[in-house]
Amino acid sequence: MRIAIVHDWLVVYAGAERVLEQMLACYPEAELFSLVDFLPAGQRAFIRNKPVSTSFIQRLPKARKKYRAYLPLMPLAVEQFDLSAYDLVISSSHAVAKGVLTGPDQLHLCMCYSPIRYAWDLQHQYLREAGLERGIKGWMAKLILHYIRLWDVRTANGVDAFIAISHYIARRIRKAYGRDSTIIYPPVDVADFPLRTDKEDFYVTASRMVPYKKLDLIVEAFNAMPDKRLVVIGDGPDFAKIKAKAGPNVQLLGFAGPDVLRDHLQRARAFVFAAEEDFGIAPLEAQACGTPVIAFGKGGALETIIPLPEVECAAPSAAPTGVFFYEPSVAAIIAAVERFEGAGAAITPQACRENALRFAPERFRAEFTAFVEREWAAFRGGKQG
């Protein structure tokens, strides 16, 4: 069986690339395709230093830095991959990878991180943040996204079976494509985030500083709690704005390497997370360290954090690992922090660690391999029938 794996783009080692790494661990013989490949020579171990077949976008002007600007060409580009020699095609898709062309004697499985966010339910947020709500450029962007949606729905018909990374994304796939999917949670490298039970008296948050992460709300909440210390790790377009808001009890570290991040996650009293994520790896890395999470109760967080019971006398179904707030506001974050502190020893480092272990890479590899083998057996049986 010849296998091809098609990934949207290879430029950094982030969440989707961690999944790709484990796919290749399951099927090391697979050949790899991507619209662009700008991974440095020293950062290719996670793809096993494989050669990558790329599209014409790789050779377009300024593609290394501006590849996203070629979104209107991406549907055409991904359709140019000739995959006719492969029996099994696995698309690793949060944008256009699932749009590859396959035939009736080829099985196409899609690991879907999300239907294209900025073309579907997050379109208005994307246009607002990009300053494209009005004007000629705005109407051009809306027209392009309209046609991307039409293409995205059509190409969903070429996928034989979908994998969703969470129940939240499964609902988005159902809404956009009208298709069911199998949930396989992404892998979290819990071994890289060892348990530490002795905690220090500070809170931590870490993410790229972009609007939807809502770091400004977290900073404003801690400004209103001057007796509590917050450490903010990350960089991005909103860094200057957030730095201007930070009070004396808020420390901004900017970009930090993995060792600094791990050290703070291990020592912090709790990790604070205000984004609505499709899955959310950072809260699980914190829990792997034995650190509870105070999170916005929407999206993937609902599936990765076991909340303290809302009713104090209620018995939790499992040992709690965090506290939710259900409104993206300063007041809601403050109330959640106070509720967390009032819980005392109800949330233990050991419980946090045990919960994170449910998402270890070994679990992903077992579930992913079983899914592929099951779908392949059914596909072969259908062909023979």
Side-chain angles (χ1 to χ4, degrees):
M1 181 170 62
R2 291 195 65 188
I3 303 173
I5 298 179
V6 185
H7 194 67
D8 286 309
W9 45 74
L10 289 166
V11 292
V12 295
Y13 179 63
E17 288 70 36
R18 299 183 193 200
V19 177
L20 175 63
E21 179 179 24
Q22 297 303 321
M23 287 182 186
L24 290 170
C26 296
Y27 298 101
E29 73 278 17
E31 296 180 39
L32 191 53
F33 293 76
S34 181
L35 291 178
V36 298
D37 172 17
F38 294 119
L39 291 173
Q43 298 177 24
R44 306 182 67 84
F46 77 93
I47 61 168
R48 297 172 173 251
N49 294 302
K50 282 179 170 289
V52 179
S53 298
T54 57
S55 74
F56 64 80
I57 294 177
Q58 178 86 14
R59 299 180 295 278
L60 293 180
K62 300 183 180 180
R64 180 178 293 273
K65 296 291 186 183
K66 301 289 187 180
Y67 63 93
R68 291 177 187 270
Y70 290 112
L71 175 66
L73 297 178
M74 288 182 182
L76 175 64
V78 82
E79 290 174 349
Q80 303 314 303
F81 288 136
D82 182 2
L83 304 177
S84 56
Y86 299 92
D87 305 296
L88 170 62
V89 176
I90 303 171
S91 54
S92 172
S93 184
H94 58 77
V96 300
K98 76 165 184 43
V100 291
L101 302 179
T102 56
D105 291 331
Q106 295 173 286
L107 177 63
H108 178 187
L109 306 178
C110 177
M111 168 63 74
C112 184
Y113 308 104
S114 176
I116 309 174
R117 299 174 186 87
Y118 34 86
W120 290 98
D121 52 315
L122 298 184
Q123 174 189 290
H124 300 292
Q125 176 182 318
Y126 163 76
L127 292 173
R128 184 168 56 251
E129 292 172 1
L132 294 171
E133 291 180 280
R134 54 182 62 86
I136 297 298
K137 287 185 178 179
W139 282 108
M140 288 285 291
K142 292 170 186 176
L143 182 63
I144 289 168
L145 293 176
H146 171 73
Y147 284 109
I148 289 284
R149 275 192 297 278
L150 296 178
W151 175 85
D152 198 30
V153 172
R154 180 189 66 75
T155 58
N157 294 324
V159 176
D160 293 292
F162 279 96
I163 301 170
I165 62 169
S166 64
H167 290 277
Y168 178 64
I169 292 303
R171 294 194 297 274
R172 188 177 276 170
I173 291 170
R174 162 58 64 180
K175 176 77 75 171
Y177 306 145
R179 297 285 300 276
D180 291 329
S181 50
T182 297
I183 287 82
I184 301 179
Y185 291 119
V188 178
D189 198 352
V190 293
D192 271 0
F193 294 87
L195 172 67
R196 176 168 168 167
T197 57
D198 56 316
K199 303 298 180 181
E200 299 178 18
D201 193 18
F202 71 92
Y203 293 81
V204 66
T205 187
S207 77
R208 181 162 168 75
M209 292 188 177
V210 291
Y212 89 93
K213 295 289 189 178
K214 296 184 171 62
L215 288 177
D216 54 336
L217 290 181
I218 299 174
V219 168
E220 288 174 22
F222 277 83
N223 283 345
M225 299 183 286
D227 59 321
K228 305 183 198 313
R229 180 173 162 237
L230 174 70
V231 176
V232 182
I233 299 175
D235 200 354
D238 284 358
F239 183 86
K241 182 178 78 172
I242 292 169
K243 183 177 181 180
K245 289 186 175 184
N249 61 320
V250 177
Q251 179 185 9
L252 271 66
L253 295 187
F255 174 79
D259 292 341
V260 173
L261 174 63
R262 184 187 306 111
D263 175 62
H264 282 80
L265 289 180
Q266 287 180 313
R267 293 189 292 115
R269 187 172 184 179
F271 180 77
V272 188
F273 189 72
E276 179 184 341
E277 291 281 19
D278 302 333
F279 176 67
I281 289 178
L284 280 166
E285 292 174 340
Q287 290 175 80
C289 295
T291 301
V293 180
I294 300 168
F296 182 42
K298 197 170 181 182
L302 294 173
E303 301 174 49
T304 60
I305 299 163
I306 303 170
L308 198 69
E310 293 297 320
V311 180
E312 298 303 329
C313 62
S317 56
T321 66
V323 172
F324 286 139
F325 56 94
Y326 298 97
E327 178 185 304
S329 69
V330 170
I333 295 172
I334 292 171
V337 171
E338 291 174 347
R339 187 160 177 264
F340 166 74
E341 293 193 350
I347 304 175
T348 67
Q350 291 79 7
C352 294
R353 175 73 180 180
E354 285 299 317
N355 184 51
L357 290 175
R358 296 191 295 124
F359 300 89
E362 296 81 6
R363 183 270 322 159
F364 173 85
R365 291 195 296 268
E367 291 183 9
F368 180 72
T369 303
F371 173 84
V372 172
E373 291 178 354
R374 183 172 65 250
E375 293 295 329
W376 177 251
F379 180 72
R380 294 284 290 178
K383 285 174 64 178
Q384 293 169 0

